[in-house]
């Protein structure tokens, strides 16, 4: 029996369908449909997924055809119409139609009227979907549609199971007959299998913001709207067999398939009369001469030739020219940028200025990263200064126009936390319960809510409602929720982009994005350029500006002196606060072990502290080999199957240990005999969510394959785990190389110019791992004088100034003050002249608001007027908020009566320090723990440095302020960083101890830890916690020199945030 | 001593603070039974502010573990997983506070709420009844503590001073005129000024009320404003402010005092009728109608009896009001006992709502609807609100749940309208009579998977089916049932004698091969 289901709604009709497009592909193949038509609500977002679903190699060869269409839903009362393009041109019109509807609506909506069809109907086949109780509106639609699109209109008939199906069918038949359109059978499918009804009800409730109890008739009455086998459809339509046969005729009218979408690189940058390849070659040799003023080295010349040849063969010239064009714009505007990605580390990219990694310095073979067989476009991501990326984006729109340039979409999917939260709501669970269930999930990236996580939230997973909610939440995970714009992935085309895929507005003004995400584009071989933002580039540019202003030296990313040993010396000591990528605690632990001495070591350093190598347990073997504790051997197959050194080429540079993503992939190809396509499929399966079934298959193939060929089973297992670890955070060598370059540059600045580094880093905040307090402390430890913000000296930004001895010092800017506005700061700076001599002058000349004055006084910024915080506050509070009366202003006389200078009690230093923290999140005067030192000394509590200097295995009691709390992944330990006036101390709390001291671990600001010191041979110190005591109360000693409350209950302290935040909250990473 | 106070004309204010009112309310409610559930779990009450759940109140155990109001609940849970959390119920807290205030009637008639968790009692001249002011404080403290509340009390000449002391130095009794000395040592926060002012004072190093009071007035006024000065003066006992009374005044009232207390039922009702007419006039003048009327009978010996009647729609018609009161008084289980007579009768109108002027009726429908409403009100006054019910449509696919009975007086316009199940051209889709419980039928012959039956036996009678339509497939509401519930296929059938039935097969073919058949209703 032949039948094609043409009315399929997937979950890309957001919160309407309850099955993934891939699930339909599988189900339809197994049920042996003739074809299936994916028609989502005013969107084509799910069609590539369906296309992809049919690629599943497990499916039988005999597959249904995929028809691509959309269900047009109108706002003017017209019944829904399924529209299928018969050919490529009609497909373009469907895209234009949907784009038009999207452009007149807000993000995520699409407003269509029947009239829109007049413009775009050509070549589209229409199936009119009558509502349950149809009447005049359906007749009117048929009337008009048969006029504009004769012989391209069908009337859908579906069995509703509402008790009057036979009568309804007769009425439909007679309506079809009177307009001479064929009746066509559909089941108006919402899910692929009847078991999905529950999920369907849940997504309906989520969409309608209702609980199941409230939703009533908004829910479907039964579970009939699933994909039904052709035989069943034939039985249901036994009285109307022509309607079934019509589906085949309909499918046969359509010749369009997705692989007909041909992509054209934009042609802009090529001057007339030249081919793209010629132009690229010209630019390349020009660039090479600039890069190597002393003459192009032979090896480079050779590499360039080779690469250009490859580019020519693959026809990539346009792509490189496009990226070059964007980068050239950035360079003109002095916006720092750097490319990365598989193609980025080519010599061509270096001489074109796309990257600054010298191919002489690192041997990254470009062709190794371009897959041999696939016509996959090369991959270059370009990072720009995060503060100026918007300029680049607007330039792209200007240059290519909105119909040829748009951002990629990101499919926002349900994650465990959001899924349980929404499903919980639908079940009527209180917010507290769902929040608790959700908070049991540490890290929101897991693919499933597990039973123990439910228990962790103190819930019994056997409770029926909870169990159901968790079960359905698990089904919902991975479902698309809505489309959003990708952070920076641009699609640029020569032809109209809106005839390839619909485009719609983003939430931001002047931003437009397409309906497909990067996987979809990959799948169809459409090029995209990632225009990304990187905070460190902003920091480096600011540092370069400071060099220019204060030292009159100009630098670029490529001209920083290379390979200086003192820079590596610094990194080996883990002196890396603020340095790009290697400043995290894990990286700082790795530095002294890895002891980077040259650029490639940094590449490894960047790549090794990643989930991939860690989960694959590759880190320790590499470190052991590096320091000579273990021999470098290459895992080898049984001689029967291949040469013993087959992996030497793959793993040669990393001492026989796979560290980079492409090594792991290559390993699958060489050692487990994957085809390049399979390896690519493996990578994609890992990167995209919910390919549970396919992953198992790959797992078997890879591990089984390696063992069969004589590899060690443990090694095979670890290799696969590593690939799993790469997941969506795959880290290829080329990325690592680009990042490593920024590691070196930022380390170089920090090493030689700590004041410049700290200043630039502070001005580029928020970025990186450390709060301003740590950056400032680090700068001071490196001998930089740091000066407080002051109304007479500060700018908005932090600045450098020569102190009295002529040495460069860092002056904190007004931006460091909480609650300060940039405009008000500008008023102060503009009216400053030769300085303010008094508060009165400041008020009259700058005209700033009273609350700004209070903020400045709170921040202790009046010292240059001889007033400390307390005096200044007392003085500014007296100033009236309104502008001075003109008469007084003219007379330049103080408006208020004179007041005798009030003798206020002196403010103790400890209170000043606390106030500094409240306003600046740091203090230059002292460190809070200092004031507790005497007390702690008496209690025999050690400082951080004292503890760190104790011998390995020694039992200590040490206390400090909690800087960072971290519990990596599913880890069985919590990492805490303590800090005090002497330095920082890293503590580990193992899970068993954590469970006992959970409250202290999670809640304390000041923590006393008792435990044993553990020292590694490289001198990395950890305090292994045995007991934790919350000493946050001690902080009160710093401020409460006044009376304390009496009585049985501590008083309600007013909960103004400023009073609560005695110290900046620690940064917690869950 | 009391007389002295009167002579010096100084008021005496008792401040009662219940710092853990929200959690006390819950633990009290749980009572001793609480022990079996979770005796040792710390309890917090959470409230949603700024899109995050935060702790609103913590019980003593939770407080001892470091949980404080304002803390995000997620943080608290991360610290203490075994935390019991209740959602804040501010109206319930308020109601409880009002109850406590009423209970405080026994100490003084002048009780004011000090929301959200305090009371202020004007106890001027009443101390001697309870063994002096100290004795009064102790009695209040003891009795409330015995009720399961955590209490802090203090007594002073002004509300601000008493409140400051109860929060920061509980148990203090400031001697008359010495308020300034009593509160001098308290932190400035005790003044309960706004946070910005408290912060400003602290930053200036003025950390106690005494330090603040020692500054000159112009100095303070220039910086913190006149309102702050007035508040400070009040706290220091230099100025007084009246307390605002507790019981919310009724929206409108009419009352009649009797020189000689009345006892006769007729006289009482006649008075009530006069009052109803008077109140109706007041309401009309204000364009209002009341949904609740309360008659308050004050007995000469001090006992007070309150009787209320409610109406479904706002009203001010004296006749209607009287009819309701008569019904109410007639049906009293515990009759209105005048004892030695009432010396004051008051009629209060509550829940007043806007009501337009009386319009002549043009539409019989509206009149009929109002007649029904009157009937409902009368029946409800006599039999109780819960016992007069009305059907409202429900939003569900399940036939037997399609309507529900609710108290007629409170029946709000239903969210879903009655659905028309029948097109004019079509046979009805639902039976006229739905059986209270579907009854199994036997001997059913029907073709799988979804054909209508050809015959069946119900209550020992065989029916042979001549015509049938269907199926209408209705799946059960899976979330309401523990087990998987089979879906139903409903058929409308007519037997050879022309009788029409509504039958269903439980379990569609895909679910079960041996379906059960039921009859669920009969058509006319």
């Amino acid at each position: 029996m032949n039948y094609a289901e043409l009315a399929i709604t997937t979950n890309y009709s957001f919160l309407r369908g309850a099955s993934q497009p891939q699930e339909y592909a599988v189900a339809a193949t197994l049920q042996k449909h003739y074809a299936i038509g994916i028609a989502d609500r005013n969107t084509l977002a799910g069609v590539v997924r369906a296309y992809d679903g049919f690629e599943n190699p497990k499916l039988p060869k005999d597959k249904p055809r995929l028809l691509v269409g959309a269900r047009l839903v109108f706002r003017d009362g017209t019944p829904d119409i399924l529209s299928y393009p018969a050919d490529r041109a009609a497909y373009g019109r469907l895209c234009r139609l949907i784009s038009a509807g999207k452009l007149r609506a807000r993000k995520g909506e699409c407003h269509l009227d029947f009239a829109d069809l007049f413009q775009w109907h050509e070549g589209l086949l229409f199936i009119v979907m009558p509502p349950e109780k149809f009447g005049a509106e359906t007749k009117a639609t048929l009337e008009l549609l048969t006029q504009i699109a004769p012989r391209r209109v069908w009337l859908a008939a579906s069995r509703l199971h509402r008790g009057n199906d036979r009568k309804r069918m007769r009425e439909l038949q007679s309506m079809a007959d009177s307009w001479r359109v064929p009746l066509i059978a559909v089941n108006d499918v919402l899910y692929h299998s009847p078991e999905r009804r529950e999920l369907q009800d849940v997504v309906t409730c989520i969409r309608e913001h209702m609980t199941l109890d409230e939703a009533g008739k908004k829910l479907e009455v039964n579970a009939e709207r699933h994909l039904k086998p052709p035989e069943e459809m034939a039985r249901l339509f036994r009285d109307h067999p022509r309607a079934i046969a019509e589906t085949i005729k309909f499918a046969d009218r359509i010749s369009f398939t997705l692989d007909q979408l041909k992509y054209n690189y934009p042609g802009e940058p090529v001057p007339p009369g030249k081919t793209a390849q010629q132009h690229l070659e010209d630019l390349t040799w020009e660039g090479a001469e600039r890069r190597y003023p002393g003459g192009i080295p032979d090896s480079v010349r050779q590499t360039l030739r080779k690469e250009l040849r490859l580019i020519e063969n693959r026809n990539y010239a346009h792509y490189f020219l496009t990226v070059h064009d964007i980068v050239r714009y950035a360079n003109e505007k002095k916006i720092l940028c750097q490319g990365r990605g598989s193609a980025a580390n080519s010599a061509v990219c270096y001489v074109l200025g796309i990257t600054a990694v010298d191919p002489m310095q690192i041997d990254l073979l470009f062709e190794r990263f371009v897959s041999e067989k696939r016509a996959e476009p090369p991959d270059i991501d370009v990072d720009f200064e995060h503060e100026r990326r918007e300029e680049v984006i607007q330039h792209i729109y200007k240059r290519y126009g909105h119909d040829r340039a748009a951002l990629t979409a990101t499919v926002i999917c349900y994650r465990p936390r959001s899924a349980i939260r929404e499903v919980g709501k639908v079940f009527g669970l209180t917010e507290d319960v769902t929040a608790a269930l959700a908070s049991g999930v540490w890290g929101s990236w897991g693919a499933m809510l597990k039973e123990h996580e439910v228990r962790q939230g103190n819930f019994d997973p056997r409770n029926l409602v909870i169990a159901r909610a968790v079960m359905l939440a698990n089904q919902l995970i991975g479902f698309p929720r809505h489309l959003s714009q990708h952070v920076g992935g641009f699609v640029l085309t020569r032809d109209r982009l809106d005839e390839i895929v619909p485009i719609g507005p983003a939430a931001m003004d002047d931003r437009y994005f397409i309906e497909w995400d990067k996987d979809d584009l990959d799948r169809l071989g459409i090029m995209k350029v990632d225009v990304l933002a990187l905070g460190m580039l902003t920091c480096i540019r600011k540092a370069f500006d400071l060099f220019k202003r204060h030292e009159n030296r100009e630098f670029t990313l490529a001209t920083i002196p290379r390979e200086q040993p003192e820079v590596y010396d610094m990194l080996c000591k883990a002196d890396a606060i603020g340095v790009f990528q290697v400043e995290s605690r894990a990286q700082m632990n790795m530095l002294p072990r890895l002891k980077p001495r040259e650029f490639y070591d940094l590449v490894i350093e960047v790549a090794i502290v990643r989930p991939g190598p860690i989960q694959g347990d590759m880190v320790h073997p590499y470190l052991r080999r590096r320091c000579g504790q273990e021999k470098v051997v290459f895992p080898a197959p049984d001689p029967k199957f291949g040469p013993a050194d087959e992996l030497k080429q793959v793993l040669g540079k990393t001492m026989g240990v796979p560290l980079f993503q492409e090594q792991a992939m290559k390993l699958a190809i060489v050692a487990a005999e994957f085809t390049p396509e399979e390896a690519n499929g493996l990578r994609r399966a890992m990167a995209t969510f919910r390919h549970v079934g396919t992953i198992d298959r790959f797992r078997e193939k890879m591990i089984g394959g390696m063992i069969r060929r004589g590899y060690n089973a443990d090694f095979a297992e670890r290799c696969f785990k590593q690939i799993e670890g790469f997941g969506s955070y795959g880290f290829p060598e080329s990325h690592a190389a680009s990042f490593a370059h920024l590691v070196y540059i930022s380390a170089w600045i920090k090493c030689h110019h700590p004041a410049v580094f700290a200043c630039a880093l502070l001005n580029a905040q928020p970025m990186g791992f450390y709060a301003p307090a740590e950056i400032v402390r680090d700068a001071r430890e490196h001998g930089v004088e740091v000066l407080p913000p002051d109304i007479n000296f500060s700018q908005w930004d932090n600045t450098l100034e020569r102190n009295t001895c002529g040495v460069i010092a860092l002056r904190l800017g007004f931006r460091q003050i909480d609650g300060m506005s940039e405009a008000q700061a500008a008023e102060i700076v503009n009216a400053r002249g030769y300085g303010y001599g008094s508060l009165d002058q400041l008020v009259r000349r700058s005209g700033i608001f009273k609350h700004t004055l209070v903020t400045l006084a709170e921040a202790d910024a009046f010292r240059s007027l001889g007033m400390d915080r307390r005096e200044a506050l007392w003085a500014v509070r007296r100033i009236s908020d309104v502008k001075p009366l003109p008469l007084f202003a003219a007379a330049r006389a103080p408006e208020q009566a004179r007041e005798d200078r009030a003798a206020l009690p002196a403010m103790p230093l400890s209170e000043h320090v606390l106030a500094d923290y409240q306003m600046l999140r740091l203090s230059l005067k002292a460190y809070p723990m200092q004031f507790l030192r005497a007390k702690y000394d008496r209690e025999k509590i050690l400082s951080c440095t004292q503890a760190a200097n104790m011998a390995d295995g020694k039992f200590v009691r040490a206390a400090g302020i909690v800087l960072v709390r971290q519990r990596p992944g599913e880890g069985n330990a919590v990492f805490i960083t303590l800090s005090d006036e002497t330095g920082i101390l890293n503590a580990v709390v193992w899970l068993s101890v954590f469970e006992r001291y959970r409250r202290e671990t999670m809640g304390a600001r000041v923590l006393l830890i008792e435990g044993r010191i553990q020292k590694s041979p490289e001198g990395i110190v950890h305090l292994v916690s045995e007991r934790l005591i919350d000493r946050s109360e001690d902080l009160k000693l710093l401020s409460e020199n006044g009376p304390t409350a009496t009585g049985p209950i501590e008083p309600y302290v007013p909960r103004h945030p400023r009073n609560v935040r005695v110290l900046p909250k620690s940064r917690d990473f869950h | 001593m009391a007389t002295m106070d009167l002579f010096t004309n100084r008021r005496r204010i008792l401040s009662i603070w219940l710092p853990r009112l929200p959690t006390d309310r819950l633990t009290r409610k749980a009572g001793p039974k609480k022990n079996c559930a979770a005796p040792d779990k710390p309890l917090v009450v959470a409230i949603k502010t700024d899109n995050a759940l935060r702790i609103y109140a913590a019980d003593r155990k939770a407080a001892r573990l470091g949980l404080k109001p304002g803390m995000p609940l997620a943080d608290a849970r991360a610290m203490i997983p075994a935390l019991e959390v209740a959602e804040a119920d501010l109206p319930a807290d308020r109601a409880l506070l009002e109850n406590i205030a009423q209970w405080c009637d026994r100490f003084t008639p002048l009780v004011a709420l000090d929301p959200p968790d305090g009371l202020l009692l004007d106890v001027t001249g009443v101390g001697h009844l309870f063994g002096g002011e100290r004795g009064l404080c102790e009695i209040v403290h003891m009795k409330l503590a015995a009720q399961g509340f955590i209490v802090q009390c203090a007594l002073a000449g002004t509300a601000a001073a008493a409140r400051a002391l109860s929060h920061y130095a509980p148990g203090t009794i400031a001697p008359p005129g010495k308020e300034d000395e009593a509160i001098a040592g308290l932190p400035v926060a005790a003044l309960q000024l706004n946070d910005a002012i408290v912060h400003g004072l602290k930053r200036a190093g003025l950390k106690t009320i005494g330090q603040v009071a020692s500054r000159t007035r112009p100095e303070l006024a220039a910086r913190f404003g006149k309102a702050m000065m007035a508040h400070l003066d009040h706290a220091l006992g230099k100025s007084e402010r009246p307390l605002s009374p507790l019981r919310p005044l009724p929206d409108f009232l009419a009352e009649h005092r009797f020189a000689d207390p009345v006892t006769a039922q007729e006289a009482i009702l006649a008075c009530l009728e006069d009052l109803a007419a008077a109140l109706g006039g007041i309401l009309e003048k204000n364009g209002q109608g009341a949904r609740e009327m309360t008659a308050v009978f004050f007995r000469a010996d001090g006992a007070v009896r309150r009787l209320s009647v409610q109406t479904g729609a706002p009203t001010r018609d004296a006749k209607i009001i009287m009819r309701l009161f008569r019904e109410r008084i007639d049906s009293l289980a515990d009759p209105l006992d005048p004892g030695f007579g009432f010396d004051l009768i008051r009629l209060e109108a509550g829940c007043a709502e806007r009501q337009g002027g009386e319009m002549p009726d043009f539409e019989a429908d509206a009149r009929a609807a109002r007649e029904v409403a009157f009937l409902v009100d009368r029946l409800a006054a006599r039999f109780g609100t819960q016992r007069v019910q009305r059907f409202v449509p429900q939003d569900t696919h399940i036939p037997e749940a399609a309507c529900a009975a609710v108290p007629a007086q409170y029946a709000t316009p239903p969210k879903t309208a009655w659905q028309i199940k029948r097109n004019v051209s079509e046979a009805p889709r639902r039976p006229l009579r739905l059986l209270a419980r579907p009854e199994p039928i036997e001997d059913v012959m029907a073709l799988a998977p979804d054909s209508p039956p050809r015959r069946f036996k119900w209550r020992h009678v065989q029916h042979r089916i001549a015509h049938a339509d269907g199926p209408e497939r209705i799946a059960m509401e899976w979330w309401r049932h523990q087990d998987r519930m089979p879906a139903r296929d409903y058929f409308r059938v007519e037997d050879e004698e022309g009788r029409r039935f509504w039958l269903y097969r439980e379990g569609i073919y895909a679910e079960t091969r041996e379906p059960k058949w039921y009859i669920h209703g009969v058509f006319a």
Side-chain angles (χ1 to χ4, degrees), chain A residues 431 458 468 858 870 874 998, chain B residues 48 78 81 199 203 223:
Chain A
E431 210 162 323
N458 265 342
R468 270 192 179 144
E858 286 274 8
R870 176 161 291 171
W874 195 246
R998 192 184 179 101
Chain B
K48 190 163 189 177
H199 179 76
R203 274 284 191 266
R223 289 173 175 85

Side-chain angles (χ1 to χ4, degrees), chain A residues 217, chain B residues 390-395 399 401-405 414-421:
Chain A
K217 293 191 184 127
Chain B
R390 165 184 284 179
F391 287 114
V392 291
Q394 299 292 300
D395 187 14
C403 67
K415 267 184 250 162
T416 42
W418 289 108
Q419 237 187 358
I420 298 164
K421 272 283 169 195

Side-chain angles (χ1 to χ4, degrees), chain A residues 92-132:
Chain A
R93 284 188 282 273
L94 179 60
C95 292
R96 294 285 288 275
L97 169 67
I98 295 174
S99 302
K102 287 181 145 212
L103 285 174
R104 44 172 101 103
R106 285 181 313 151
K107 179 196 169 193
E109 290 172 26
C110 182
H111 292 165
L112 290 178
D113 298 313
F114 184 82
D116 294 326
L117 287 180
F118 289 109
Q119 196 177 353
W120 307 111
H121 69 88
E122 222 177 300
L124 291 174
L125 310 185
F126 299 106
I127 301 176
V128 177
M129 303 287 287
E132 187 193 337

Side-chain angles (χ1 to χ4, degrees), chain A residues 53 77 139 226 252 488 513 668 670-671 731 785 811 858 861 866 903 990 1001:
Chain A
K139 286 180 191 160
H226 60 91
D252 287 343
F513 68 101
V670 175
F731 220 77
E785 188 185 354
R811 170 70 70 180
E858 286 274 8
W990 295 111
T1001 312

Side-chain angles (χ1 to χ4, degrees), chain A residues 332-403:
Chain A
E332 267 169 29
K333 297 283 166 195
K334 299 243 177 287
I335 301 170
L336 276 192
C337 62
Q338 175 170 262
R340 61 191 156 97
S342 63
N345 293 105
S346 54
V348 170
C349 278
Y350 176 68
V351 299
L352 288 178
I354 295 168
T355 64
V357 181
D358 187 345
M360 299 284 284
Q361 202 177 359
I362 175 172
D363 152 51
L364 289 165
L365 283 181
F366 167 52
E367 65 260 38
R368 237 184 23 219
F369 305 119
V370 180
S371 68
E372 313 264 326
K373 297 209 180 91
R374 300 180 72 95
E376 200 173 68
D379 167 26
I380 302 180
D381 302 346
V382 190
D383 292 315
F384 295 87
E385 290 171 41
H386 72 318
E387 288 179 1
R388 300 189 62 191
R389 183 181 65 135
E390 186 60 28
E391 296 173 37
V392 179
I393 289 179
Q394 289 308 329
H395 161 75
I396 293 173
Y397 278 133
K398 221 172 283 156
R399 179 148 183 141
Y400 297 94
H402 285 297
D403 44 4

